Amino acid sequence: MTHRNLEQCHFRRRAGSMIVLFSNEAMLNRLPSAAIVIDAAADEILHANTKAQELLGPDAQPGQRFSGFIYKDLAAFIVFLDEVIYRRQAWTRAVQLIVGDGDRLNVEMRACQLDDSPNRILLLLIDLEEFRWHERVTDTEKLHREGLMGWRRAQEFFSELEHQNQLILNAAGEGIYGVNTKGQTTFVNRAAQEMLGWDTEDLLGKPIHNIIHHHHQDGSVYKAHDCPIYQAFRSEKVNRVEDEVFWRKDGRPIQVEYISTPIYDRNVLAGAVVIFRDVTERKLNDKKLREALAEVAELRDRLEKENAYLQEAITNERAHHDVIGHSPAIRQTHAKIKLVAPTDAPVFITGEIGAGKAIVANSIHKESSRKRRPLIQFRCGSISRRAMEMELFGHVGTGEHSGPDTSGALELANGGTLYLEDICDLPLDLQGELLRVLQDKKFKRVNDARFRNLNIRVIASSAKNVEQEVALGRFREDLYLLLSVFPIHCIPLRDRREDIPELTARILEIMCERLNRKLPIVTERTMQTLMDYHWPGNVRELRNVIERAAIVSTGGKLIVELGQAGQKAETHLRTVRTEKEMQQEVRANLVAALRETGGRVAGKEGAAALLDMKPTTVYSRIEKLQIKDQEWCAD
């Protein structure tokens, strides 16, 4: 029979022998435990001995409701009473009492039914805290009885236990430390000491937040009441943090991720244990990886843009790729190209529209040390000011101008050559920005805060009188001085007519190959007609004339049409034109107007004003006649 069964039998014998005595209050007070007689049906205290009043307080008086002492376990207490009435006796530890100003009391209730009435119940209340204290006293007395050897065994046991725990803590690779509810350090393992550089003497018993967690990485103060570790004391929950810093003894921060877990002593919050790891190297590697990926993305974007530029260059392929001719002017141009190409000196090319400025720029690039990198052509003034800025400097997609990041002409030309066509049309404020970029050799994309290094060669061109533009304040003198280190002037075609036969032969050969046509014969009369013409559109106009002649010449001989007179070298003059010929002349006239205005349609200097037409009409004809950019923009 177990100890508890013996105890219950003893209780039943004692209760049975004393049933008749419990109505006597004096006898009830002689019991060593708190005893109460209640009427279960009326929920009324009938008798309460002195021990019960000491345990429950002065309210434990006859006539009071016993259920008022039940904390939140009234249902459990009712079930317990039913068991007593059914079995005549029972015991439980499931019912918690409330005494005094709300203190909770854990008790063991032992009850039996009195014989004089089924609803009269005797309750014996045993304070469990006192019961456990008795057990500890018993263990202590036992230890005392064992003498010095017992104390040594207990000491060795606890020392070994502490040693084992310390070995476990020090074997852990993560840093571990504990804090009490006051924020004071209670223990620190070896890994934490090595990562932080602090010894246990520096930390134990001191507020660790003020030592290792006092500032954010940006230098701002980190107040203790904002710290997730101390917040755990208020919320009593586990906190995980992945991006903070702890400060070493030498003043250096280390990036850490940690988990803070509350710890309890007998259901009372005692503090927290913090497990952390140094992630500085991992964060650094992550940063390097992100930068590398960003660099790869930028390189991919740059290559895609370069490819787009190269594709455009192929689509808009010039009729001739080199400076062609043997006139004194062309020989002088060849000499200048040969002289300046190997250097990185800026070149400023001037000349009339269509005189071949872009061809000269391309020749300089092809003979330079940068020929393996692309020649990026940027047409100044052909688009809006905002779009021009983003096309030149690039763009970071934030705020008003959202979208993907893009590389500008400067970035695409890095390592190569940037050709700024019609530089005088660049807005003044952008001229200033371009000047600073070329001087500092670094730039920023639009909406970006990061500077990027720049290594380019700049070639600029203009069909306008640059000195006059500077005098009128439309072009910055300092930018002009920076770009015009080596000026080259392209001579108009009318001043080097001896080059026309060679140019015609080369252009005709390329056009026939492109159009899959048989090469026609150029008669002396046709060539003389070409040489006698004044060529206001220079080489560009010659290219268009030869291309049109290659299309219409189907009889074996080259037939050309020049100017408004519509002269034909191998046919007699006619005053009547077919509808097709009229459409061709309208188309040629519109192409010439676009070429004259650099592609502008609207505005005072646009093609519509030049033709005395509405811009909408010009746009409609461009679409109807299927005029492509390469027909007027080729230089």
Side-chain angles (χ1 to χ4, degrees):
M1 183 176 294
T2 64
H3 173 72
R4 182 169 299 280
N5 290 335
L6 288 172
E7 190 178 48
Q8 289 176 347
C9 289
H10 172 69
F11 170 68
R12 287 198 297 269
R13 288 196 300 270
R14 184 177 61 181
S17 63
M18 297 182 66
I19 286 174
V20 294
L21 301 176
F22 287 141
S23 59
N24 188 323
E25 186 175 347
M27 295 300 294
L28 198 64
N29 287 332
R30 293 182 182 179
L31 292 176
S33 300
I36 297 176
V37 178
I38 66 171
D39 186 340
D43 185 21
E44 181 183 353
I45 298 176
L46 300 178
H47 300 285
N49 69 356
T50 304
K51 292 287 186 180
Q53 293 177 7
E54 291 176 357
L55 184 65
L56 301 179
D59 292 337
Q61 297 291 335
Q64 296 293 327
R65 295 172 58 251
F66 182 76
S67 61
F69 294 97
I70 306 299
Y71 177 52
K72 290 183 179 179
D73 307 313
L74 185 58
F77 180 66
I78 293 173
V79 172
F80 171 66
L81 291 180
D82 289 341
E83 184 181 359
V84 174
I85 294 172
Y86 177 74
R87 297 180 181 272
R88 296 187 60 82
Q89 60 181 356
W91 70 276
T92 183
R93 290 186 179 183
V95 178
Q96 195 175 35
L97 302 182
I98 183 168
V99 297
D101 295 331
D103 295 335
R104 282 171 274 177
L105 183 64
N106 295 315
V107 298
E108 178 177 297
M109 286 187 182
R110 299 179 183 180
C112 68
Q113 189 181 42
L114 300 180
D115 293 336
D116 58 341
S117 173
N119 292 321
R120 287 168 61 86
I121 306 295
L122 170 64
L123 294 177
L124 295 182
L125 305 178
I126 300 174
D127 186 351
L128 291 179
E129 290 297 325
E130 183 179 358
F131 182 78
R132 294 190 182 103
W133 182 77
H134 289 166
E135 289 181 339
R136 289 195 295 271
V137 170
T138 302
D139 293 338
T140 304
E141 291 176 349
K142 180 180 178 182
L143 193 60
H144 274 291
R145 287 194 297 270
E146 292 178 354
L148 182 60
M149 294 303 296
W151 278 104
R152 286 181 176 175
R153 285 196 299 269
Q155 185 180 14
E156 290 174 359
F157 171 77
F158 288 113
S159 296
E160 181 65 21
L161 182 62
E162 182 181 2
H163 178 67
Q164 293 295 332
N165 290 337
Q166 197 64 39
L167 287 177
I168 293 172
L169 286 174
N170 288 332
E174 289 83 4
I176 304 174
Y177 69 85
V179 292
N180 59 22
T181 53
K182 296 180 181 180
Q184 298 169 334
T185 314
T186 56
F187 66 87
V188 184
N189 76 336
R190 184 179 300 156
Q193 296 175 51
E194 292 175 353
M195 281 188 268
L196 298 172
W198 299 94
D199 297 328
T200 54
E201 293 79 6
D202 300 322
L203 299 175
L204 290 181
K206 298 177 183 178
I208 194 168
H209 179 87
N210 298 339
I211 300 175
I212 70 167
H213 209 191
H214 45 79
H215 282 78
H216 292 286
Q217 191 170 8
D218 60 5
S220 59
V221 176
Y222 200 157
K223 297 180 179 179
H225 67 267
D226 294 329
C227 176
I229 299 171
Y230 291 91
Q231 287 177 355
F233 298 153
R234 298 191 295 271
S235 61
E236 298 189 21
K237 66 178 182 180
V238 176
N239 282 319
R240 300 175 185 272
V241 179
E242 297 182 354
D243 190 17
E244 282 196 1
V245 296
F246 285 169
W247 295 88
R248 287 175 46 85
K249 189 174 184 177
D250 58 13
R252 292 188 298 109
I254 61 171
Q255 291 183 291
V256 297
E257 58 183 25
Y258 65 83
I259 177 171
S260 172
T261 306
I263 53 178
Y264 298 88
D265 182 11
R266 298 180 185 176
N267 297 324
V268 177
L269 182 68
V273 61
V274 179
I275 303 175
F276 69 93
R277 63 183 60 176
D278 183 355
V279 295
T280 304
E281 186 175 354
R282 192 189 75 190
K283 294 283 187 181
L284 181 62
N285 291 336
D286 289 346
K287 181 181 179 182
K288 289 181 179 178
L289 178 60
R290 288 194 299 270
E291 290 176 351
L293 292 175
E295 186 176 350
V296 169
E298 288 184 9
L299 181 59
R300 182 180 64 249
D301 177 64
R302 177 174 171 179
L303 291 175
E304 290 175 353
K305 280 279 192 147
E306 288 180 3
N307 182 62
Y309 271 89
L310 293 174
Q311 290 296 329
E312 182 181 357
I314 293 171
T315 304
N316 301 332
E317 184 181 7
R318 312 296 185 197
H320 43 286
H321 302 283
D322 301 310
V323 180
I324 298 172
H326 291 86
S327 64
I330 290 300
R331 288 198 299 270
Q332 185 179 14
T333 300
H334 275 297
K336 289 182 177 181
I337 292 173
K338 186 176 181 180
L339 188 63
V340 75
T343 74
D344 275 347
V347 179
F348 203 119
I349 306 172
T350 56
E352 296 179 1
I353 294 175
K357 298 184 291 297
I359 297 173
V360 173
N362 186 63
S363 296
I364 293 172
H365 175 71
K366 288 200 304 182
E367 295 185 23
S368 73
S369 59
R370 298 173 179 263
K371 59 186 177 182
R372 294 183 181 275
R373 298 292 299 157
L375 168 68
I376 302 300
Q377 181 174 347
F378 182 79
R379 299 187 182 95
C380 305
S382 60
I383 50 179
S384 68
R385 188 255 178 232
R386 181 64 176 177
M388 191 184 309
E389 182 182 20
M390 290 191 291
E391 286 288 333
L392 182 60
F393 296 100
H395 162 248
V396 173
T398 58
E400 177 185 356
H401 299 280
S402 59
D405 296 354
T406 58
S407 302
L410 284 168
E411 193 169 355
L412 294 173
N414 197 29
T417 305
L418 176 64
Y419 174 44
L420 298 169
E421 189 176 13
D422 297 327
I423 184 68
C424 291
D425 292 337
L426 194 68
L428 272 174
D429 58 334
L430 290 185
Q431 293 178 24
E433 291 185 32
L434 177 62
L435 176 65
R436 285 191 294 273
V437 166
L438 297 180
Q439 288 175 335
D440 299 341
K441 293 182 171 53
K442 59 183 180 180
F443 72 100
K444 290 191 298 185
R445 290 180 177 180
V446 177
N447 297 330
D448 195 5
R450 179 168 66 94
F451 279 98
R452 302 164 190 263
N453 294 326
L454 187 65
N455 174 25
I456 60 171
R457 186 203 191 141
V458 179
I459 301 175
S461 73
S462 177
K464 296 181 180 180
N465 186 324
V466 186
E467 287 81 3
Q468 183 178 355
E469 292 296 307
V470 171
L472 294 174
R474 292 196 290 257
F475 191 68
R476 294 180 62 114
E477 184 176 12
D478 47 4
L479 180 59
Y480 175 56
L481 293 174
L482 178 67
L483 295 175
S484 60
V485 172
F486 196 91
I488 296 179
H489 182 68
C490 293
I491 304 299
L493 185 58
R494 60 181 174 273
D495 293 337
R496 54 184 184 98
R497 298 177 186 270
E498 59 268 43
D499 293 330
I500 292 177
E502 186 175 351
L503 283 169
T504 301
R506 179 66 179 276
I507 296 172
L508 185 60
E509 179 183 355
I510 294 174
M511 290 302 173
C512 289
E513 181 179 354
R514 177 184 298 172
L515 298 173
N516 197 22
R517 293 288 183 88
K518 183 178 179 181
L519 193 67
I521 298 173
V522 183
T523 64
E524 291 185 6
R525 183 179 176 182
T526 299
M527 184 57 66
Q528 190 60 47
T529 301
L530 293 174
M531 294 186 68
D532 290 343
Y533 185 58
H534 62 285
W535 298 110
N538 292 295
V539 179
R540 182 185 296 170
E541 185 179 5
L542 175 63
R543 173 189 181 278
N544 292 341
V545 168
I546 298 302
E547 183 176 11
R548 185 166 59 248
I551 295 173
V552 300
S553 299
T554 58
K557 295 181 181 180
L558 185 68
I559 300 173
V560 297
E561 297 179 355
L562 297 174
Q564 296 180 353
Q567 302 175 25
K568 294 186 179 180
E570 290 299 315
T571 60
H572 58 82
L573 297 176
R574 295 188 302 170
T575 57
V576 179
R577 299 285 185 269
T578 65
E579 180 63 25
K580 181 177 180 181
E581 290 172 339
M582 291 295 293
Q583 289 296 324
Q584 288 177 345
E585 289 190 8
V586 170
R587 192 180 192 279
N589 191 47
L590 182 53
V591 169
L594 290 171
R595 185 165 53 245
E596 183 71 21
T597 60
R600 295 185 185 88
V601 174
K604 294 181 180 181
E605 298 182 358
L610 191 64
L611 296 170
D612 194 19
M613 298 168 62
K614 293 182 179 180
T616 54
T617 304
V618 175
Y619 283 124
S620 177
R621 287 193 179 181
I622 290 174
E623 182 177 358
K624 179 180 178 181
L625 298 173
Q626 298 181 350
I627 297 175
K628 307 298 182 184
D629 290 350
Q630 57 264 31
E631 296 185 55
W632 57 263
C633 69
D635 202 347

